[in-house]
Amino acid sequence: MASLLIPKVEPAAMKSGFTIDSQFRPQYHFTAARNWLNDPNGLVYSNGIYHLFYQHNPQGEVWGNMSWGHATSADLVRWDEQPVAIPCDEQEAIFSGSAVADVHNTSGFGAGTTVPLVAIYTSAYSAGSRLAGRQAQSLAYSNDDGATWTKYAGNPVLDRASADFRDPKVFWYDGSAGSYWVMVAVEAMDREVVLYKSADLKAWEYLSTFGPANATGGVWECPDLFELPVDGDAGNTKWVLVVNLSPGGIAGGSGGQYFLGTFDGVAFASETTVTEGLEQDDSRMAEYGWLDWGRDYYAAVSFSNAPDGRRLMIGWMNNWQYGAVTPTSGWRSAMSLAREIRLATRGGRVVLMQAAVDPLEDGGARTYSEAGRSLPPGTRWLPAEASGDVLRIDAELEPGTAGKVGLLLRADGGERTVLAYDPGTGVLSLDRTASGNTAFHESFASVDRVAVPLEEGRLRLRVFLDRCSVEVFAQDGLATITDQIFPGETSTSLAVFAEGGGATLVSLDVVR
Ligand code: FRU
């Protein structure tokens, strides 16, 4: 029986004699060996390596001393933690931002033959700085493939004298308006995305402002802007503007929304704006575009320079509501799996589809399968081969006459996380109210919901379980729900259930 327990984090942590929390330590999600992490930063692919930088407190298990941690991977699954890339100092904390491979050395930072990597980050100036209280954009560069970083002497490169101007995402624009770097960043309190352009990453010229629009119930943070083909047709593209916000997400607390539209090299024009302005209309929330319908997918941004034109995103698998008190020790917070983003036409509308980069594709083995079984009303516990705390579950269900059908995940007696579909309302829900330890914060226990239509009477689910998380991809990634859970160690059983009528389990495969 093959199992995939990647010994990527625990041995390093144990070597140092540090007490880690092995019960909840994710096996195939990135965590810092020690201490706190939040947003993914500087996601960039260069020279065969994916770089994941991240908001990191090198000295503690809660937010503070914000610096860019660093990890590298060849496959987006096995991550090797590297030394802290850009540490904070007395002058500034290093807030979120992006990184680019400056292939043409537009910045002039390049020295020799290696392509310079340039990080564009937010300087959050400390009390001791002459710019105290401001947030402005700064550069750091690396001429050794990301191993060591030098701050640019001319920092900051873009200062609006604002206290909430942050999270720059930079990409190379090459279109009808010309060829240049574009920065999307936020004026967080104003719920605005601001766009700038530059020839050299150092001198920036204002282009336009987008927002407020759609969800505005919290500060806008960590934007992203990229172009994708619709249905794989390079002649028919749309631009995707990602805007994370906290609180004010669809499931409560932190969440990520997106707009679809056009970008002419100057301004983003949204085709999916439902409401405009700062006034939040709670009744329209479900009409907005959401990256994820769970509580724990935040600050999601995409890789620059990913090979084969792929658009790959990673989110912070946590929520600012309770992020500081999740019940782990020695480390806190994980990244989501990497997700490949596509646009597709469904029911006459262009929608965003997401597929996880599957950590079990090569390393896992199918341990349990069944197909074509009727599900009479009741709960059927699956055999031991289908159990575990690090699993991928693929299920296809036909609700038939059932009022509810679904899976009990990480279950043991009364403890369970319930993934249920109600064909009457067309709503898929993930209920973590009885998932295990929920008491550490009053807003943790939750039921998260998303409307998902059946396709030919069927619902396809792909579920990734890790030690303290559930990521659900429904109808091939048309909707996703990502939630942390903290179950007891013996809560490893899997069950299928139907209520109020009979359903069919078209197929079920468990891989671990
Ligand atoms: C988002 C965020 C960013 C900021 C960073 C600070 O989670 O608040 O806006 O740059 O975290 O750690």
Side-chain angles (χ1 to χ4, degrees):
M1 185 178 71
S3 77
L4 183 99
L5 293 182
I6 306 159
K8 62 185 191 299
V9 173
E10 293 181 64
M14 277 172 341
K15 239 186 284 162
S16 65
F18 197 76
T19 316
I20 50 125
D21 168 49
S22 56
Q23 182 187 352
F24 296 129
R25 175 76 82 168
Q27 299 296 290
Y28 57 62
H29 290 85
F30 179 74
T31 52
R34 301 181 191 191
N35 292 324
W36 168 267
L37 68 73
N38 56 288
D39 315 357
N41 294 153
L43 301 178
V44 63
Y45 175 85
S46 178
N47 244 335
I49 295 293
Y50 293 92
H51 294 267
L52 162 64
F53 300 90
Y54 49 92
Q55 288 289 281
H56 183 44
N57 180 354
Q59 285 149 50
E61 293 168 34
V62 291
W63 189 89
N65 308 305
M66 293 324 291
S67 302
W68 277 27
H70 185 199
T72 51
S73 173
D75 60 6
L76 294 164
V77 174
R78 292 162 185 80
W79 292 100
D80 294 316
E81 190 168 337
Q82 306 293 341
V84 169
I86 314 178
C88 63
D89 59 26
E90 323 72 60
Q91 300 290 312
E92 61 174 11
I94 314 298
F95 274 18
S96 288
S98 52
V100 295
D102 186 10
V103 181
H104 301 298
N105 196 21
T106 61
S107 61
F109 290 142
T113 51
T114 312
V115 171
L117 295 181
V118 182
I120 306 94
Y121 66 88
T122 298
S123 294
Y125 291 103
S126 317
S129 158
R130 74 183 164 86
L131 296 173
R134 282 192 199 180
Q135 295 184 348
Q137 313 324 322
S138 292
L139 306 177
Y141 57 91
S142 170
N143 279 315
D144 54 8
D145 271 332
T148 59
W149 291 82
T150 306
K151 285 182 183 175
Y152 172 49
N155 284 341
V157 293
L158 183 53
D159 180 5
R160 290 163 53 110
S162 163
D164 294 286
F165 172 40
R166 59 180 180 267
D167 306 342
K169 174 74 200 246
V170 172
F171 65 93
W172 182 253
Y173 169 80
D174 194 4
S176 50
S179 301
Y180 41 82
W181 297 107
V182 171
M183 177 195 294
V184 286
V186 291
E187 277 294 347
M189 299 298 284
D190 300 335
R191 281 71 162 164
E192 285 177 353
V193 174
V194 290
L195 287 82
Y196 285 80
K197 77 172 190 177
S198 174
D200 60 3
L201 296 168
K202 293 171 177 165
W204 292 93
E205 181 190 324
Y206 173 78
L207 289 176
S208 60
T209 296
F210 174 81
N214 289 2
T216 56
V219 288
W220 280 20
E221 299 185 317
C222 302
D224 199 352
L225 180 61
F226 48 84
E227 186 180 22
L228 282 179
V230 178
D231 301 319
D233 174 4
N236 176 22
T237 66
K238 283 197 189 294
W239 285 77
V240 183
L241 176 67
V242 169
V243 181
N244 290 275
L245 85 160
S246 184
I250 183 67
S254 313
Q257 62 176 329
Y258 69 88
F259 301 83
L260 300 180
T262 55
F263 176 61
D264 61 3
V266 177
F268 174 78
S270 167
E271 296 165 357
T272 59
T273 296
V274 178
T275 54
E276 270 179 291
L278 270 175
E279 215 50 57
Q280 168 82 29
D281 180 352
D282 289 340
S283 69
R284 310 296 299 268
M285 286 285 279
E287 296 171 51
Y288 308 152
W290 294 100
L291 289 176
D292 194 280
W293 297 74
R295 305 288 302 278
D296 294 306
Y297 188 72
Y298 190 58
V301 284
S302 69
F303 276 89
S304 49
N305 206 33
D308 309 319
R310 294 174 88 193
R311 188 53 60 173
L312 297 158
M313 296 183 87
I314 293 182
W316 176 46
M317 212 158 40
N318 211 340
N319 192 312
W320 283 116
Q321 278 184 338
Y322 47 75
V325 293
T326 51
T328 61
S329 62
W331 61 278
R332 183 168 282 120
S333 292
M335 293 301 174
S336 73
L337 292 175
R339 298 179 177 186
E340 182 163 3
I341 312 298
R342 289 197 188 84
L343 295 180
T345 312
R346 288 280 182 287
R349 281 181 55 215
V350 177
V351 293
L352 194 135
M353 308 280 295
Q354 307 183 63
V357 173
D358 182 0
L360 293 162
E361 193 171 55
D362 301 326
R366 188 177 322 155
T367 61
Y368 185 76
S369 266
E370 58 176 79
R373 290 271 300 260
S374 63
L375 294 179
T379 297
R380 179 159 60 84
W381 292 93
L382 297 174
E385 298 79 53
S387 66
D389 59 0
V390 184
L391 301 177
R392 191 191 82 210
I393 303 157
D394 290 309
E396 189 162 355
L397 293 156
E398 232 169 56
T401 60
K404 221 172 222 181
V405 57
L407 303 170
L408 304 186
L409 307 165
R410 297 296 308 271
D412 180 16
E415 212 167 89
R416 69 234 357 232
T417 299
V418 186
L419 180 60
Y421 188 73
D422 177 338
T425 56
V427 169
L428 178 70
S429 58
L430 187 65
D431 178 345
R432 64 176 180 185
T433 56
S435 59
N437 183 354
T438 61
F440 56 88
H441 194 280
E442 58 186 20
S443 24
F444 183 78
S446 67
V447 185
D448 303 323
R449 300 180 174 85
V450 58
V452 204
L454 294 177
E455 289 172 13
E456 285 159 11
R458 293 181 175 181
L459 176 70
R460 277 181 305 284
L461 297 170
R462 170 163 277 202
V463 181
F464 291 93
L465 291 182
D466 202 343
R467 292 263 171 87
C468 61
S469 61
V470 185
E471 285 155 291
V472 179
F473 293 76
Q475 302 299 43
D476 308 314
L478 177 63
T480 66
I481 306 180
T482 302
D483 274 338
Q484 295 180 91
I485 49 169
F486 298 95
E489 255 165 324
T490 56
S491 297
T492 55
S493 297
L494 179 64
V496 285
F497 71 91
E499 272 173 33
T504 305
L505 182 60
V506 180
S507 64
L508 177 80
D509 292 286
V510 179
V511 176
R512 67 183 180 201

